């Protein structure tokens, strides 16, 4: 009894901020300030890039720029990016048609059949490694097996290279989504006598479809901006080539790259205009993906 | 089932095919140059001398510069998001980082070569004037190149591009630090920074190392942005303000007009790059996975 009294008479220890030594207080504030500053440091370049692209690319933007053929001379004004826009959409679309179904199938294997088997774990590890393979290596790969073999550059070769880049991303993001599908759904379907593949197709996939779609759209958006794998496998054209399989093609990133290396003002303006168009395309895909993910997300349990 | 398995095995097949076909195409260059391919510093296609050392050096230097700038910033952002940010700010901040990752590399390159590089020349000159006289350090900050297209510019641009990947992995790692550890530190009277230093860092060191190595792998494979801002000259110099070249840039800028052994040598560069990035990525994955497993053990 006496001890408690003694304690209270001395008062509770001072736990307010003032009790900190000034050295500790200042270190704390400086460190926390630096941490918050890091975010600002990352925002500044993003803001500057977006500002440059909009202010410099906005000037050249017009109906003719979006639909016209590419000017034959880099020095002269006029012409547009029509063939490059069509090329980007065709090549990226072709890549998506190959990579998304295969990626989803691969993810189904990993999550529904393979689970923790050694083979599944190996594939999972390789998919992670494949995600880290530089895009230029994918370009070289297609260059050696396709362009050197058939001695022809085409939009399809570019689509193959982009598909190789997208495949591991689609596999891993789809697998994450399949993992979120509750096991009760699978058990209920199996209990009703459905076979495994039927359960997968009619129950598991529909439940995860929004996540799969948004993950795939993000992968497509990323691929649409890739330059390195495209540049030496698709070749170059000035007029729109609707045929993915024969004849050379072109894409927006390739046009930005070749125009940016020119010393002429008009070429540089074209590069900015193409950059604005490309960013708009990428952004549209990203926003749609976000919207789908938020709107139809499976509630995490 | 069989169809799904086949799709899974495709990953394996593609990786194996990359290794086989590119090595086969590069073989003439490897037999032509032998081990000199990676130790010779002269790259002279007309004379059929293909030494990749200058480009390996360029790739290494640019990646190093990029990591020096990107790692502190990324860790800072990750800490801000996991430990400091009010809930309201977290969503928008993550969106900003996602957007940074969504900007195509060629757009960063365009911005780097037309906007950033010319503006950086006076800055480089100032550093050269201040630090140039000091021995050793002076040779790192020697006379800047007039166009501003240099190792340093390339490193800075790549730094911006690898911030999102390092940030997102660091964030995952930090968020696995047990609540109890952090609360214990705070209960002992630690300030927030002392809590981060004493509870968060020791717990997540392995994961952070993995994140940094993954960022390194990304930096080494970055092609188009570097090609536009590095200047394109074959030299080995300690001067970070000088122009140089990197492996991916050489491939992309020279493969159009190459034939025979020259093409083989360029594909050979790709093989070396592929081997280096696969090695680095495997290492990083292993480290991250081990760190995650250990942390899961600690939380349960």
């Amino acid at each position: 009894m006496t001890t408690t009294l003694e304690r209270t008479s001395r008062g509770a220890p001072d736990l307010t901020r003032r009790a900190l030594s000034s050295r500790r207080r200042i270190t704390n504030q400086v460190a926390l300030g630096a941490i918050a500053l890091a975010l600002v440091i990352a925002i500044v370049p993003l803001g500057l890039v977006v500002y440059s692209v909009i202010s410099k690319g906005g000037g050249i933007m017009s109906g003719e720029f979006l639909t016209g053929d590419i000017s034959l001379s880099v020095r002269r004004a006029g012409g547009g990016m029509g063939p490059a826009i069509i090329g980007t959409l065709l090549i990226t679309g072709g890549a998506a048609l190959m990579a998304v179904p295969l990626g989803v199938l691969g993810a189904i294997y990993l999550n529904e059949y393979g689970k923790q088997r050694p083979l599944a774990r190996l594939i999972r590890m390789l998919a992670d490694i494949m995600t880290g393979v530089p895009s230029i290596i994918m370009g070289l790969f297609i260059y050696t097996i396709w362009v050197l073999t058939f001695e022809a550059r085409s939009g399809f070769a570019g689509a193959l290279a982009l598909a190789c880049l997208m495949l591991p991303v689609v596999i891993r993001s789809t697998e994450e989504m399949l993992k979120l599908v509750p096991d009760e759904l699978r058990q209920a379907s199996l209990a009703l006598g459905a076979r495994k593949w039927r359960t997968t197709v009619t129950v598991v996939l529909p439940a995860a479809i929004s996540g799969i779609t948004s993950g795939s759209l993000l992968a497509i958006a990323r691929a649409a901006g890739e330059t390195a794998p495209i540049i030496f496998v698709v070749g170059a054209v000035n007029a729109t080539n609707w045929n993915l399989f024969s004849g050379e093609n072109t894409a927006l990133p390739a046009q930005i790259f070749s125009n940016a290396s020119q010393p002429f003002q008009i070429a540089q303006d074209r590069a900015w205009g193409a950059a604005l168009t490309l960013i708009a395309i990428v952004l549209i895909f990203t926003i749609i993906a976000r919207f789908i993910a938020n709107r139809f997300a499976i509630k995490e349990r | 089932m069989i169809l799904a398995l086949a799709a899974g095995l495709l990953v394996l097949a593609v990786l194996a095919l990359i290794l086989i076909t590119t090595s086969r195409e590069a073989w003439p260059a490897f037999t032509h140059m032998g081990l000199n391919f990676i130790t010779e510093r002269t790259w002279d296609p007309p004379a059929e001398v293909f030494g990749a050392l200058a480009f390996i050096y360029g790739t290494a230097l640019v990646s190093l510069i990029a990591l020096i700038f990107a790692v502190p910033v990324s860790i800072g952002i990750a800490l801000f998001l996991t430990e400091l940010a009010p809930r309201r700010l977290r969503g928008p901040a993550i969106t900003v980082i996602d957007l940074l990752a969504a900007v195509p590399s060629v757009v960063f390159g365009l911005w780097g070569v037309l906007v950033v590089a010319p503006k950086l020349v006076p800055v480089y000159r100032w550093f050269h004037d201040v630090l140039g006289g000091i021995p050793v350090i002076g040779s790192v900050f020697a006379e800047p190149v007039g166009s501003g297209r240099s190792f340093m510019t390339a490193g800075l641009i790549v730094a911006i591009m690898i911030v999102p990947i390092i940030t997102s992995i660091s964030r995952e790692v930090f968020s696995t630090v047990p609540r109890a550890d952090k609360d214990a530190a705070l209960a002992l009277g630690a300030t927030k920074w002392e809590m981060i230093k004493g509870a968060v860092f020791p717990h997540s060191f392995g994961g952070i190392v993995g994140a940094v190595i993954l960022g390194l792998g990304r930096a080494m494979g970055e092609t188009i942005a570097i090609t536009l801002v590095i200047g394109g000259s074959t030299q080995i110099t300690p001067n970070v303000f000088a122009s140089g070249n990197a492996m991916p840039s050489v491939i992309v800028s020279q493969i159009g007009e190459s034939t025979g052994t020259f093409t083989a040598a360029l594909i050979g560069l790709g093989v070396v790059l592929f081997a280096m990035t696969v090695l680095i990525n495997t290492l990083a994955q292993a480290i991250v996975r081990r760190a995650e497993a250990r942390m899961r053990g600690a939380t349960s």
Side-chain angles (χ1 to χ4, degrees):
Chain A
M1 210 44 185
T2 37
T3 45
T4 357
L5 269 177
E6 266 171 25
R7 255 195 210 145
T8 36
S9 65
R10 258 192 278 137
D14 184 6
L15 289 174
T16 57
R17 194 166 283 200
R18 253 173 302 136
L20 279 178
S21 74
S22 58
R23 190 181 58 80
R24 286 178 63 201
R25 197 170 61 223
I26 291 168
T27 316
N28 184 42
Q29 278 161 358
V30 169
L32 297 188
I35 288 172
L37 186 70
L39 185 64
V40 179
I41 292 177
I43 293 175
V44 168
L46 178 67
L48 289 176
V49 169
V50 171
Y51 170 77
S52 293
V53 169
I54 292 176
S55 67
K56 295 182 193 230
I60 198 173
M61 208 39 73
S62 66
E64 202 215 341
F65 184 79
L66 289 176
T67 54
D69 280 359
I70 295 165
S71 164
L72 290 169
S73 159
V74 288
R75 298 162 194 245
R76 259 178 249 126
M81 283 292 149
I85 296 173
I86 302 293
T88 292
L89 295 177
L90 279 178
I91 294 169
T92 319
L97 282 181
M98 289 183 272
V100 173
L102 286 172
V104 172
L105 273 177
I108 289 175
Y109 169 73
L110 287 183
N111 198 59
E112 308 295 321
Y113 296 96
K115 312 228 179 233
Q116 290 303 315
R117 293 207 193 114
L119 182 60
R121 290 165 81 156
L122 177 72
I123 291 175
R124 215 168 273 138
M125 193 188 88
L126 289 179
D128 282 348
I129 290 173
M130 197 170 158
T131 315
V133 170
S135 57
I136 180 140
I137 304 291
M138 295 301 181
L140 268 184
F141 168 55
I142 299 303
Y143 184 78
T144 57
I145 68 158
W146 193 270
V147 178
L148 288 183
T149 315
F150 298 103
E151 288 179 349
R153 292 160 209 257
S154 65
F156 185 68
L160 277 177
L162 292 188
C164 288
L165 277 175
M166 286 162 60
L167 182 67
V169 183
V170 175
I171 290 184
R172 294 299 265 147
S173 70
T174 304
E175 197 199 349
E176 292 304 316
M177 289 305 133
L178 293 180
K179 264 190 212 156
L180 290 179
V181 177
D183 255 344
E184 286 85 340
L185 284 182
R186 295 190 184 90
Q187 286 157 3
S189 170
L190 291 172
L192 288 171
R195 284 170 185 251
K196 182 123 192 177
W197 65 267
R198 185 137 195 179
T199 305
T200 307
V201 173
T202 56
V203 175
V204 180
L205 277 185
I209 195 72
S210 69
I212 295 172
T213 315
S214 79
S216 304
L217 278 172
L218 282 179
I220 294 169
R222 201 62 54 82
E226 279 292 348
T227 318
I230 294 267
I231 212 153
F232 50 88
V233 301
V234 304
V237 285
N238 288 307
T240 306
N241 177 4
W242 285 96
N243 191 339
L244 199 57
F245 297 95
S246 87
E248 304 200 343
N249 216 319
T250 189
L252 282 170
Q255 287 299 322
I256 300 173
F257 179 64
S258 59
N259 279 305
S261 333
Q262 299 290 341
F264 313 110
Q265 185 60 45
I266 179 66
Q268 297 180 357
D269 287 347
R270 267 199 284 269
W272 287 111
L276 182 57
T277 318
L278 179 62
I279 286 193
I281 292 177
V282 171
L283 208 63
I284 290 170
F285 275 120
T286 313
I287 291 173
I288 296 176
R290 278 277 174 122
F291 177 76
I292 294 176
N294 289 341
R295 186 83 168 60
F296 307 104
I298 315 176
K299 302 286 172 285
E300 269 186 70
R301 300 180 313 146
Chain B
M1 154 92 197
I2 287 166
L3 209 61
L5 176 61
L9 287 174
L10 195 65
V11 174
L12 209 149
V14 168
L15 277 178
L17 270 177
I18 292 178
L19 193 63
I20 294 166
T21 58
T22 50
S23 303
R24 202 190 55 207
E25 291 295 331
W27 201 248
F30 288 153
T31 49
H32 177 65
M33 289 302 292
L35 209 59
N36 288 341
F37 187 70
I38 49 171
T39 55
E40 169 66 50
R41 52 169 69 197
T42 323
W43 180 267
D44 188 357
E48 301 239 310
V49 180
F50 303 106
L53 190 62
F55 310 139
I56 297 175
Y57 173 79
T59 293
L61 183 58
V62 169
S63 309
L64 179 72
I65 296 173
L67 284 183
I68 289 174
F69 286 100
V71 169
V73 171
S74 313
I75 292 180
I77 299 172
L79 280 177
F80 182 79
L81 290 174
T82 50
E83 308 295 336
L84 293 186
R87 200 161 282 272
R88 243 171 331 121
L89 218 79
R90 210 167 290 172
I94 292 173
T95 308
V96 166
I97 305 300
D98 283 352
L99 282 178
L100 205 57
V103 176
S105 124
V106 67
V107 175
F108 276 119
L110 174 70
W111 177 67
V113 68
L114 296 182
V115 179
V116 179
K119 292 233 169 81
L120 280 177
V121 176
V123 181
Y124 292 165
R125 193 139 281 147
W126 183 83
F127 270 103
H128 172 57
D129 291 343
V130 174
L131 300 168
I134 310 166
V136 186
I137 297 177
S139 64
V140 176
F141 301 102
E143 191 58 35
V145 62
S147 64
R149 299 181 196 181
S150 61
F151 292 117
M152 191 57 151
T153 314
L156 286 170
I157 297 289
V158 173
I160 300 173
M161 303 174 55
I162 60 173
V163 160
I165 174 101
I166 306 182
T167 303
S168 74
I169 296 173
S170 305
R171 237 180 74 208
E172 273 170 38
V173 172
F174 287 146
S175 64
T176 57
V177 176
R179 181 85 250 166
D181 283 22
K182 295 196 274 187
D183 287 346
L186 291 174
L188 287 170
T191 61
K192 206 146 205 182
W193 168 242
E194 286 165 345
M195 179 274 283
I196 290 169
K197 218 169 52 170
V200 176
F201 279 158
H203 205 278
S204 35
F205 184 75
I208 299 294
V209 172
V212 170
I213 300 179
L214 224 52
L216 173 66
R218 248 354 111 78
M220 284 180 18
E222 181 41 54
T223 310
I224 291 299
I226 294 184
T227 311
L228 284 169
V229 299
I230 201 169
S233 59
T234 310
Q235 57 172 336
I236 298 181
T237 161
N239 180 9
V240 292
F241 299 148
S243 59
N245 220 336
M247 283 190 280
S249 309
V250 176
I251 302 172
V252 87
S253 52
Q254 300 186 359
I255 203 159
E257 63 253 29
S258 66
T259 49
T261 327
F262 188 12
T263 309
L266 289 171
I267 296 174
L269 279 181
V271 174
V272 174
L273 185 67
F274 179 64
M276 283 163 72
T277 46
V278 165
L279 213 67
I280 283 177
N281 278 307
T282 317
L283 187 71
Q285 305 288 356
I287 292 177
V288 171
R289 212 156 281 177
R290 255 181 77 182
E292 270 175 2
R294 217 194 53 211
M295 280 178 298
R296 227 170 282 134
T299 35
S300 60

